[in-house]
C-alpha cells in the first residue's frame, strides 16, 4: 500500500490559500445565486419571448434537471482529468451559457442555454467544498466550511432581491449577464493559483450512471411539474414516478451487486458520519429552501410588498448566517459538535414557530427577526454539519462524497418546495371554502361594515379578495408549522453522529 499527498495540496500550508478560496467561492456564489435569481424575472422573460406559463416552467425545469444529473458525475470527472480542469471547464461553460441566456431571442434558445448552464454549473458547489477541505488542515475545517456555507446559503437568499432590482432598473437579460465578469475573475484565479489534484482513474460505470441519471431526472421532472399537472391525477406524473422508482431500484441493486467499481462507491455510506450527515442535509434542504420558496410569494402576494422591499426584509436571514459562521468557527473544537447542531435545529424551530404567527396586518419587524433567527439556526447546523460529515471520511472519497452531499441537499430542497407548495395550494382552497361558509348578510363583521356589499359585483369581489388573503395566510402558517414539527423531530437523531475527530490519514490519500 502506498501513500501520496492528498488532492495536490499541502493542507498544513497550502500556498495562495486565500486567493484559491476567493476564486472557488466566486464560482460557487455565482452558481448558487442562479438557483433563485431568474425566478423573479420569469414574467418579463415570458412577455419578451411570447411564451405561455407552461412553457416558461421549462426555463427553470431544464436547469434543475441538468444540475441534478450532472452533480454526481462531477466527482468521477475530478478523478479522471483532475479537479482543477473540471473547475475551469465548468466556470467557462457556465459563464458562456449565462451570456447565451441573456442573448436568447426565442424560448428554445433560452431553454437550451439554461440546460447548458445546469450541466456546467453542477460541479462548482461540490468541488468548491472539496477544495476548501483539502487546502485547510482538519483544525481549520470549521472556518473553511463556514465560508463555503456562506456561498451556498447567501446566494439563494440574495437572488430574488438582486434579480428583482436588475429586472426593474435594467432588463431581465442582466440577470444572466451579471455572471460574466464574476465568471472571468473566477477563471483567472483558479487558473493562476489552484494546484492540480492527484488523478484517480477508474472505470466508468455506464449502467450505474444511466440508472441514477434517469431516476433523478424523472424525479425532478415529477416534482417540478406535479403541481401544474395536479399530481397523480395526471398520467404524465404517474409515468415519471414509476420511471424514477424503477431506475432508483436498478441503481441500488447494481451498486451493491456489481463486481466492478460502481458509479457511487458504497464505502461512502459505510461511514456513519457521512450517512447521518446526508440525512440531516436532506432535512436542511427541505426546511431552508422551502422557506425561501414560500416567503417571497407571501410578501409580494397577500402582503403586497414590492420586489425590492421583499429583498430587504429577507436579507437579515443572510446576516444571521454570517453571525453563525463567526460564532461556530470559534466554538468548534471547544464544544461537542452535536450540541452545536442541536442548538441550531432548536433556533431554526423557534424561527418557524415565529412564522406560524404571521398575519396580514403585521409590520415587517416579525419577518426581519424570524428571518435573522432562521439564518442563525441554519448556520449553526450547516457549518458544523458540513465539517463533521467529512471528518471521518477518507480523503480519497472526498470528490465523490461532496458531489453526493450536494445532490442530496438539492433533492431535499426540490422535494420540500414541491410538498409545501402543494399543501399551500390545497390548504388555501380548503380554508377559503370554510371561511366563505361563515360569511352571511347577518354575520357580525358584515353588519359592522356594509351589509350592502353583497349586493354589488365590486363589493363581492372585494369581499372574496379579503377571504382569499386570509385563507392564503392560514395556509402559509400551516406550512411553517409543518416544517417546525419536522425540525423538532430530527433533533433526537443527532446522537447518531460521532464527535467528528479527524482521521489519522486526513492529510493523505490511501491508494491500494
Amino acid at each position: 500500500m502506498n501513500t501520496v499527498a492528498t488532492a495536490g495540496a499541502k493542507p498544513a500550508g497550502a500556498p495562495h490559500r486565500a486567493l484559491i478560496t476567493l476564486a472557488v467561492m466566486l464560482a460557487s456564489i455565482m452558481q448558487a445565486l442562479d438557483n433563485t435569481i431568474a425566478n423573479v424575472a420569469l414574467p418579463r422573460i415570458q412577455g419578451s419571448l411570447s411564451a405561455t406559463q407552461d412553457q416558461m416552467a421549462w426555463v427553470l425545469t431544464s436547469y434543475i434537471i441538468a444540475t441534478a444529473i450532472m452533480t454526481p458525475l462531477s466527482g468521477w470527472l475530478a478523478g479522471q482529468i483532475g479537479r482543477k480542469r473540471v473547475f475551469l471547464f465548468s466556470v467557462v461553460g457556465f459563464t458562456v451559457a449565462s451570456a447565451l441566456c441573456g442573448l436568447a431571442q426565442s424560448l428554445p434558445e433560452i431553454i437550451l442555454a439554461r440546460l447548458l448552464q445546469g450541466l456546467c454549473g453542477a460541479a462548482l458547489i461540490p468541488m468548491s467544498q472539496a477544495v476548501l477541505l483539502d487546502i485547510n488542515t482538519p483544525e481549520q475545517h470549521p472556518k473553511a466550511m463556514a465560508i463555503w456555507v456562506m456561498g451556498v446559503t447567501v446566494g439563494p437568499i440574495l437572488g430574488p432581491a438582486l434579480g428583482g432590482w436588475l429586472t426593474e432598473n435594467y432588463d431581465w437579460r442582466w440577470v444572466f449577464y451579471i455572471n460574466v465578469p464574476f465568471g472571468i475573475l473566477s477563471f483567472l484565479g483558479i487558473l493562476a493559483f489552484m494546484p492540480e489534484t492527484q488523478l484517480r482513474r477508474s472505470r466508468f460505470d455506464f449502467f450505474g450512471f444511466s440508472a441514477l441519471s434517469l431516476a433523478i431526472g424523472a424525479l425532478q421532472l415529477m416534482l417540478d411539474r406535479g403541481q401544474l399537472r395536479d399530481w397523480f391525477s395526471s398520467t404524465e406524473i404517474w409515468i415519471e414516478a414509476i420511471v424514477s422508482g424503477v431506475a432508483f431500484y436498478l441503481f441500488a441493486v447494481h451498486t451493491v451487486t456489481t463486481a466492478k467499481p460502481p458509479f457511487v462507491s458504497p464505502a461512502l455510506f459505510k461511514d456513519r458520519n457521512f450517512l447521518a450527515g446526508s440525512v440531516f442535509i436532506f432535512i436542511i434542504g427541505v426546511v431552508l429552501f422551502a422557506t425561501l420558496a414560500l416567503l417571497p410569494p407571501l410578501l409580494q402576494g397577500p402582503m403586497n410588498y414590492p420586489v425590492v422591499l421583499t429583498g430587504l426584509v429577507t436579507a437579515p436571514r443572510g446576516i444571521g448566517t454570517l453571525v453563525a459562521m463567526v460564532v461556530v468557527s470559534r466554538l468548534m473544537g471547544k464544544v461537542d459538535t452535536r450540541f452545536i447542531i442541536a442548538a441550531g435545529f432548536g433556533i431554526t424551530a423557534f424561527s418557524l414557530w415565529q412564522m406560524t404567527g404571521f398575519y396580514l396586518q403585521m409590520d415587517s419587524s416579525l419577518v426581519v427577526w424570524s428571518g435573522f433567527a432562521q439564518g442563525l439556526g441554519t448556520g449553526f447546523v450547516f457549518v458544523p454539519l458540513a465539517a463533521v460529515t467529512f471528518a471521518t471520511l477518507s480523503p480519497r472519497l472526498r470528490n465523490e462524497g461532496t458531489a453526493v452531499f450536494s445532490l442530496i441537499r438539492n433533492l431535499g430542497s426540490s422535494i420540500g418546495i414541491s410538498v409545501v407548495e402543494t399543501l399551500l395550494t390545497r390548504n388555501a382552497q380548503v380554508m377559503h371554502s370554510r371561511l366563505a361558509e361563515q360569511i352571511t348578510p347577518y354575520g357580525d363583521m358584515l353588519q359592522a361594515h356594509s351589509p350592502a356589499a353583497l349586493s354589488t359585483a365590486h363589493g363581492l369581489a372585494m369581499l372574496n379578495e379579503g377571504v382569499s388573503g386570509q385563507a392564503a395566510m392560514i395556509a402559509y402558517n400551516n406550512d411553517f408549522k409543518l416544517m417546525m414539527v419536522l425540525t423538532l423531530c430530527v433533533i433526537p437523531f443527532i446522537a447518531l453522529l460521532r464527535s467528528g475527530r479527524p482521521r489519522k490519514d486526513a492529510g493523505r490519500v490511501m491508494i491500494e
Side-chain angles (χ1 to χ4, degrees):
M1 182 178 292
N2 301 318
T3 61
V4 298
T6 204
K10 299 175 183 177
H16 311 299
R17 188 166 59 214
L19 292 172
I20 295 171
T21 301
L22 178 62
V24 300
M25 289 316 299
L26 267 177
S28 295
I29 292 171
M30 181 174 66
Q31 197 272 349
L33 199 65
D34 257 56
N35 284 329
T36 56
I37 194 172
N39 294 26
V40 295
L42 283 182
R44 299 287 182 89
I45 300 174
Q46 181 178 346
S48 177
L49 301 180
S50 302
T52 65
Q53 187 174 357
D54 190 23
Q55 291 171 330
M56 285 307 301
W58 287 103
V59 175
L60 299 179
T61 303
S62 58
Y63 180 84
I64 292 169
I65 293 176
T67 302
I69 291 173
M70 197 65 181
T71 297
L73 187 61
S74 61
W76 181 84
L77 284 174
Q80 306 309 301
I81 64 174
R83 191 187 296 154
K84 180 176 181 177
R85 291 189 182 92
V86 171
F87 237 117
L88 290 174
F89 289 143
S90 296
V91 170
V92 170
F94 190 85
T95 305
V96 170
S98 297
L100 291 176
C101 286
L103 293 169
Q105 299 298 318
S106 67
L107 185 67
E109 287 179 11
I110 196 170
I111 289 175
L112 288 174
R114 286 285 283 176
L115 189 69
L116 179 62
Q117 231 187 355
L119 291 173
C120 295
L124 296 178
I125 287 181
M127 290 299 100
S128 66
Q129 185 182 15
V131 168
L132 294 183
L133 287 169
D134 277 349
I135 66 175
N136 291 277
T137 62
E139 293 75 19
Q140 295 169 326
H141 282 178
K143 292 183 179 178
M145 289 301 94
I147 294 171
W148 180 76
V149 168
M150 178 186 69
V152 172
T153 58
V154 172
I157 290 168
L158 296 180
L162 181 58
W165 183 80
L166 289 170
T167 303
E168 288 291 329
N169 292 280
Y170 295 94
D171 186 77
W172 66 264
R173 298 181 187 278
W174 281 97
V175 167
F176 301 107
Y177 288 150
I178 194 173
N179 289 332
V180 175
F182 293 107
I184 293 171
L185 288 174
S186 177
F187 175 83
L188 295 175
I190 293 166
L191 182 66
F193 302 114
M194 183 188 289
E196 188 51 278
T197 58
Q198 179 75 28
L199 299 184
R200 229 176 106 263
R201 299 187 187 279
S202 62
R203 167 186 165 275
F204 183 67
D205 180 11
F206 182 79
F207 183 85
F209 170 70
S210 300
L212 183 60
S213 298
L214 185 61
I216 293 171
L219 177 63
Q220 291 284 10
L221 196 60
M222 182 189 80
L223 294 172
D224 196 57
R225 294 178 61 78
Q227 181 62 25
L228 189 65
R229 298 296 183 189
D230 197 22
W231 292 100
F232 290 101
S233 62
S234 165
T235 303
E236 176 192 334
I237 301 303
W238 272 108
I239 292 172
E240 290 158 0
I242 292 169
V243 168
S244 179
V246 171
F248 268 123
Y249 172 77
L250 292 175
F251 170 75
V253 171
H254 172 77
T255 298
V256 298
T257 58
T258 182
K260 298 177 180 178
F263 181 66
V264 175
S265 174
L268 280 174
F269 301 100
K270 293 179 182 178
D271 185 287
R272 192 171 81 181
N273 267 24
F274 183 83
L275 180 60
S278 297
V279 174
F280 289 129
I281 201 64
F282 180 87
I283 301 298
I284 291 172
V286 171
V287 173
L288 173 63
F289 290 96
T291 308
L292 287 175
L294 287 175
L295 275 178
L298 169 62
L299 296 175
Q300 295 175 42
M303 293 189 177
N304 295 314
Y305 280 42
V307 172
V308 176
L309 182 58
T310 298
L312 290 176
V313 298
T314 54
R317 184 186 305 271
I319 298 172
T321 302
L322 293 175
V323 171
M325 285 167 39
V326 175
V327 175
V328 170
S329 62
R330 297 178 183 276
L331 290 178
M332 291 281 287
K334 299 176 183 177
V335 179
D336 192 315
T337 305
R338 290 168 291 190
F339 291 145
I340 300 173
I341 295 173
F345 274 119
I347 296 170
T348 303
F350 171 74
S351 71
L352 290 165
W353 173 77
Q354 288 182 301
M355 292 178 185
T356 62
F358 281 1
Y359 58 98
L360 294 178
Q361 290 76 32
M362 70 178 185
D363 59 26
S364 60
S365 61
L366 187 56
V367 180
V368 169
W369 286 110
S370 62
F372 176 83
Q374 188 168 78
L376 190 68
T378 303
F380 265 78
V381 175
F382 211 153
V383 173
L385 184 63
V388 79
T389 299
F390 295 92
T392 56
L393 188 70
S394 172
R396 68 185 177 85
L397 295 171
R398 194 166 282 162
N399 286 334
E400 193 175 353
T402 52
V404 172
F405 190 70
S406 290
L407 173 64
I408 292 172
R409 177 177 58 85
N410 289 337
L411 288 176
S413 66
S414 294
I415 292 172
I417 290 170
S418 294
V419 168
V420 297
E421 288 187 344
T422 299
L423 291 175
L424 176 67
T425 302
R426 297 188 176 181
N427 286 340
Q429 292 171 348
V430 170
M431 295 313 303
H432 185 282
S433 176
R434 290 182 181 176
L435 292 175
E437 289 174 359
Q438 308 304 315
I439 296 178
T440 69
Y442 311 104
D444 293 339
M445 183 179 295
L446 205 60
Q447 288 290 333
H449 291 82
S450 176
L454 291 176
S455 62
T456 66
H458 178 68
L460 284 171
M462 291 186 64
L463 185 61
N464 184 65
E465 184 180 351
V467 171
S468 297
Q470 292 294 339
M473 190 71 258
I474 295 171
Y476 277 108
N477 289 343
N478 287 339
D479 272 357
F480 294 136
K481 188 179 297 183
L482 173 66
M483 288 186 287
M484 179 188 73
V485 171
L486 178 63
T487 304
L488 290 172
C489 287
V490 82
I491 293 177
F493 295 97
I494 296 171
L496 294 174
L497 288 169
R498 290 193 178 102
S499 59
R501 287 174 298 193
R503 292 171 56 98
K504 293 180 180 180
D505 64 336
R508 298 174 178 269
V509 174
M510 308 305 292
I511 298 181
E512 302 294 338

